[in-house]
Amino acid sequence: RQILQMSTTEETTIELPSAPKSVSINYGFLKTTRGALKILQLVLGVICIALASSFSYMRSDVQNSFLVAIVLAFVLTLFLVLAYLFNLEEKYGCPIATSDFIYTIAITTLYGIAMTVNFVDNSNCLGVNSNPCQTIIAGAVFALFNTIAYGCDLLIMCRLITRRSE
């Protein structure tokens, strides 16, 4: 509190905002299985983006949709990792765990659909010895790995929810 004198007979009290909360990083999250899976999802996401965005002259609507899905997944997963690292749920009461659960269900489904459609659309590339075809198929394979990583994350969350409800 700070008191300012306006004149000789009046006093006004002004509430100054409190100092901002200190920033603390929860490195413990990265040591958990879920934290390691989130980092794996980010790494696989970068690889998928790199593979899907190359050879833009050959990109079809299916590959554009695939690229949108993996970039969206990467950005939202990065946001979730930062939210867990900075303890936003504890500091501000944000429902990060609930949002993460719903997001993981949606993104696992989206990744699986995008990967499957990319495989089907590029099935004519199987066995073809050209860089664009190999890159597109490699992107779909890494998307398969990332779908499995998201699925494992979802399975762990389901088990945690089941344990809490008992």
Side-chain angles (χ1 to χ4, degrees):
R1 292 184 149 200
Q2 186 176 14
I3 298 177
L4 299 176
Q5 287 208 309
M6 303 299 270
S7 68
T8 56
T9 58
E10 292 181 33
E11 282 188 8
T12 304
T13 303
I14 299 174
E15 298 268 340
L16 296 176
S18 62
K21 296 179 181 179
S22 64
V23 176
S24 62
I25 298 177
N26 177 16
Y27 291 110
F29 172 72
L30 297 177
K31 296 176 183 176
T32 65
T33 306
R34 291 207 52 239
L37 276 172
K38 290 289 183 202
I39 298 301
L40 177 66
Q41 292 163 3
L42 289 173
V43 169
L44 290 173
V46 167
I47 294 170
C48 286
I49 291 169
L51 292 170
S53 63
S54 60
F55 299 107
S56 60
Y57 62 90
M58 292 190 62
R59 204 173 303 142
S60 67
D61 290 339
V62 170
Q63 290 164 341
N64 284 332
S65 301
F66 177 67
L67 189 58
V68 166
I70 59 179
V71 168
L72 178 69
F74 177 80
V75 169
L76 293 176
T77 302
L78 181 62
F79 172 75
L80 282 171
V81 168
L82 293 175
Y84 281 120
L85 280 177
F86 291 115
N87 287 325
L88 294 183
E89 190 165 34
E90 291 176 16
K91 286 183 181 177
Y92 302 107
C94 302
I96 301 296
T98 305
S99 302
D100 188 10
F101 182 69
I102 294 168
Y103 161 75
T104 305
I105 291 171
I107 213 64
T108 303
T109 306
L110 180 66
Y111 237 108
I113 292 170
M115 177 260 319
T116 304
V117 170
N118 197 26
F119 267 130
V120 169
D121 185 56
N122 296 295
S123 61
N124 59 342
C125 279
L126 294 174
V128 176
N129 193 14
S130 73
N131 282 340
C133 282
Q134 291 173 349
T135 303
I136 291 166
I137 297 299
V141 169
F142 277 99
L144 171 66
F145 296 150
N146 215 355
T147 304
I148 293 169
Y150 278 106
C152 290
D153 193 18
L154 185 60
L155 180 65
I156 290 170
M157 281 193 282
C158 287
R159 287 184 178 168
L160 288 173
I161 290 170
T162 305
R163 285 183 191 151
R164 285 183 191 160
S165 65
E166 290 177 350

